[in-house]
Amino acid sequence: MAIKRTSHVVYDTTYHLVWAPKYRRWIVRKDVRRRAAELFREIADDFGFDINEMEVAKDHVHILMSFPPKYSISKVVGILKSISTSRLWREFPELKQGRKKPQGLWEEGYFARTVGDQVTAEVVKQYIRYHQRAERDGSQLDLF
């Protein structure tokens, strides 16, 4: 990963973020998953985040990304989840069906890991790429 700069900060931060759809309702439609990935990239561009690797699977999202330290991890995840939810619901209103109170498309929680000495960016990239293949093959790889 390259060192990045803003007007007052020089930084090199990379995070592996994972979250799931609300109630673990799988996103079975490929067009919805594809659009969610496009939206995450659009949102990242709008806010100055860099997505290095991403997989929007049926039951969770993996993103390896970097963002300026002026943003907290929870703020970035909140931005990605809230904007993607509102846009996906606008484009795919059927996603709201069967929900008594639509309160978001994504679970409230998430997993976050910084990339460092043992878990390098390359290890996480390989894990995400393997997961992309495993999605098609049905197998799973352990990170450790």
Side-chain angles (χ1 to χ4, degrees):
M1 304 292 148
I3 292 178
K4 296 172 186 70
R5 299 174 187 275
T6 64
S7 59
H8 300 285
V9 178
V10 177
Y11 65 97
D12 179 13
T13 57
T14 305
Y15 303 92
H16 177 206
L17 305 172
V18 183
W19 63 84
K22 198 149 200 112
Y23 310 118
R24 284 289 191 173
R25 289 190 176 158
W26 288 16
I27 303 173
V28 293
R29 289 179 44 191
K30 286 184 181 180
D31 59 333
V32 174
R33 291 197 312 269
R34 192 174 312 115
R35 182 62 181 138
E38 290 170 1
L39 285 170
F40 291 138
R41 291 202 186 277
E42 290 172 18
I43 296 163
D45 287 344
D46 290 346
F47 283 86
F49 309 156
D50 292 321
I51 294 179
N52 303 319
E53 200 72 39
M54 176 175 41
E55 169 67 7
V56 179
K58 291 178 184 177
D59 61 344
H60 62 283
V61 174
H62 282 280
I63 298 181
L64 181 66
M65 68 184 309
S66 176
F67 48 85
K70 71 179 182 178
Y71 294 104
S72 68
I73 296 170
S74 62
K75 181 70 173 174
V76 170
V77 173
I79 289 168
L80 292 168
K81 287 174 160 185
S82 64
I83 295 173
S84 65
T85 294
S86 62
R87 291 189 188 170
L88 285 169
W89 278 358
R90 191 175 327 126
E91 296 175 27
F92 303 96
E94 63 276 13
L95 294 177
K96 287 186 185 181
Q97 291 175 351
R99 297 175 187 260
K100 292 181 182 176
K101 279 189 189 175
Q103 296 177 339
L105 181 62
W106 309 108
E107 286 285 351
E108 290 180 22
Y110 60 91
F111 168 84
R113 176 188 300 270
T114 57
V115 174
D117 295 335
Q118 282 189 326
V119 180
T120 64
E122 200 52 45
V123 168
V124 174
K125 281 182 182 181
Q126 288 175 349
Y127 177 77
I128 292 172
R129 287 179 188 144
Y130 181 87
H131 190 275
Q132 290 169 343
R133 289 188 303 273
E135 170 89 6
R136 293 183 293 270
D137 302 342
S139 59
Q140 179 67 33
L141 173 71
D142 290 329
L143 186 56
F144 299 101

